[in-house]
Amino acid sequence: EDHEFIYKSADAKTVELMGEWNGWKSVPMTKDSDGSWTAKVTLSPGTYAYKFLVDGKDWVFDPDNSNKKTVDNVENSAIEIK
């Protein structure tokens, strides 16, 4: 199913979605006029760790999602697809 990830940051120059579902390969996010960055990915059912990579250097939790998943001793945000 398609899931849309949203990260709100008017100041960011680039935001990439990094996720466990594709081996942490970068998914570019698109900036909207309101300063939100979005990306849609198709995910099978399961629970996936992810973070946002801001300006190519800062790995950021999803501020709108309190769920967490630890992968390789690193805490990440987590999305559950039913």
Side-chain angles (χ1 to χ4, degrees):
E1 98 175 58
D2 275 355
H3 182 80
E4 185 173 57
F5 290 85
I6 300 173
Y7 178 71
K8 297 179 181 72
S9 173
D11 298 333
K13 293 178 181 62
T14 62
V15 182
E16 297 159 77
L17 173 63
M18 311 296 282
E20 183 184 17
W21 55 82
N22 67 358
W24 302 96
K25 290 191 187 77
S26 162
V27 177
M29 299 185 76
T30 305
K31 189 176 187 180
D32 298 329
S33 55
D34 65 354
S36 296
W37 297 77
T38 59
K40 277 200 179 102
V41 291
T42 304
L43 298 175
S44 306
T47 301
Y48 302 97
Y50 70 98
K51 271 186 177 159
F52 300 114
L53 181 59
V54 179
D55 294 342
K57 61 183 192 324
D58 297 319
W59 291 74
V60 182
F61 290 112
D62 187 338
D64 297 324
N65 176 10
S66 60
N67 296 322
K68 300 284 191 282
K69 180 178 179 182
T70 300
V71 178
D72 296 333
N73 297 317
V74 177
E75 194 177 37
N76 303 279
S77 295
I79 183 77
E80 183 180 358
I81 305 296
K82 300 209 181 325

